Amino acid sequence: MVENMLLKDKVAIVTGAAQGIGKAIAVALAREGANIVIVDINLEGAKATAREIESLGRGALVFEVDVSRADQVNEMVKKVLDSFKRIDILINNAGITRDALIVRMDESDWDKVMEINLKSAFNCSKAVARPMMKQRSGKIINIASVIGLVGNVGQSNYAASKAGIIGLAKSLAKELAPRGINVNAIAPGFIKTEMTERLSQEVRAEMLKRIPLARFGDVEDVARVVLFLVSDAAGYITGQVLNVDGGMIM
Ligand code: NAP
């Protein structure tokens, strides 16, 4: 059974893996044999994810790290290399919303979203680029959003940050392709997590009308696409954005 695993002994860093989409990605990668580095500001949640991964027989390292802080990210990557000697996969998943119409949006709401959603992906990608280049292999996936493709009222900061990580993924795909590193983005639509639980019933009902597959996504819908993109089956795919949105955006 172990022989059939897609990611046996690979090392994957997943940011924002204490809950939601990040946790589902971490567990899905571990089920396929990867050891997981869980990076989050929510230490308790991160430890719970680690327990689940260890129960699958895989290694799990937990780091209480704010991914918008380059010093903390660099320290984390150094420790990962000390422990595992390699980094095969980076999933830039941590993200937040601070919604407001532009006329009411505080500068701090703009800055916070840019730092946590966009600068974080720069910090983490930069930190893993050198070890991946030396290995001549690696997979980086940025978890963007359909909002980064089409925009949304009240989400100018979020949309700009998500469009930003799509541009980052495409540039890194070109830069790192000669070293055997694939970089892609996933744009989820409406996925059932704590982030979307906060939305009102009216907004949810309105959203559902716009989804051809007529259901909200599960975290596993995103995790399965991550598994595909980090597998050999997607070896010839780089610089792409894959929408996981039930057909919301076409
Ligand atoms: P979530 O449930 O809020 O989980 C995000 C995790 O990231 C939380 O554990 C959060 O900790 C952590 N985090 C926040 N700021 C951080 C920081 N500075 N450093 C490290 N970790 C941090 O979100 P989700 O719904 O799973 O979303 C995951 C990603 O998918 C996000 O990038 C989101 O934009 C994207 N996405 C989600 C949807 C959706 O429908 N849910 C759709 C499109 C895209 P705290 O809880 O303590 O803040």
Side-chain angles (χ1 to χ4, degrees), residues 193-207:
T193 67
E194 292 195 15
M195 186 181 262
T196 46
E197 243 165 49
R198 291 192 285 269
L199 297 170
S200 69
Q201 281 307 321
E202 291 79 20
V203 172
R204 294 162 72 92
E206 235 0 88
M207 287 273 194

Side-chain angles (χ1 to χ4, degrees), residues 14-73:
V14 186
T15 72
Q19 63 181 43
I21 294 172
K23 180 175 186 174
I25 292 170
V27 171
L29 295 173
R31 281 211 182 94
E32 288 298 334
N35 298 307
I36 309 293
V37 180
I38 299 149
V39 179
D40 206 295
I41 47 172
N42 172 357
L43 185 59
E44 284 318 302
K47 283 183 183 165
T49 303
R51 283 193 291 276
E52 212 169 313
I53 284 162
E54 280 161 356
S55 75
L56 295 168
R58 242 59 75 198
L61 281 183
V62 169
F63 289 94
E64 187 181 11
V65 159
D66 177 346
V67 284
S68 67
R69 294 276 306 274
D71 54 342
Q72 294 185 20
V73 168

Side-chain angles (χ1 to χ4, degrees), residues 171-194:
S171 299
L172 294 186
K174 288 184 176 174
E175 251 179 72
L176 301 176
R179 302 298 186 103
I181 301 164
N182 303 52
V183 189
N184 291 288
I186 292 176
F190 189 112
I191 309 296
K192 286 178 285 177
T193 67
E194 292 195 15

Side-chain angles (χ1 to χ4, degrees), residues 11-166:
V11 176
I13 298 176
V14 186
T15 72
Q19 63 181 43
I21 294 172
K23 180 175 186 174
I25 292 170
V27 171
L29 295 173
R31 281 211 182 94
E32 288 298 334
N35 298 307
I36 309 293
V37 180
I38 299 149
V39 179
D40 206 295
I41 47 172
N42 172 357
L43 185 59
E44 284 318 302
K47 283 183 183 165
T49 303
R51 283 193 291 276
E52 212 169 313
I53 284 162
E54 280 161 356
S55 75
L56 295 168
R58 242 59 75 198
L61 281 183
V62 169
F63 289 94
E64 187 181 11
V65 159
D66 177 346
V67 284
S68 67
R69 294 276 306 274
D71 54 342
Q72 294 185 20
V73 168
N74 292 338
E75 184 70 11
M76 175 272 292
V77 167
K78 196 171 162 295
K79 287 182 180 158
V80 172
L81 287 170
D82 286 345
S83 298
F84 290 119
K85 315 290 176 215
R86 57 184 299 112
I87 297 169
D88 300 288
I89 297 166
L90 166 67
I91 313 294
N92 287 314
N93 165 80
I96 60 163
T97 52
R98 290 286 184 279
D99 298 350
L101 297 172
I102 189 93
V103 289
R104 291 199 205 119
M105 187 178 287
D106 292 337
E107 193 179 341
S108 63
D109 290 336
W110 176 271
D111 288 344
K112 200 89 195 134
V113 167
M114 286 300 157
E115 280 167 19
I116 295 177
N117 295 8
L118 178 56
K119 191 177 176 207
S120 61
F122 161 74
N123 289 340
C124 296
S125 304
K126 182 173 174 178
V128 304
R130 222 181 280 278
M132 283 184 176
M133 284 163 80
K134 275 196 197 147
Q135 288 165 202
R136 300 201 164 259
S137 69
K139 310 277 185 190
I140 300 176
I141 297 180
N142 290 350
I143 305 298
S145 167
V146 290
I147 303 303
L149 299 170
V150 297
N152 199 18
V153 172
Q155 291 200 301
S156 56
N157 52 357
Y158 185 76
S161 72
K162 294 301 187 180
I165 59 170
I166 289 172

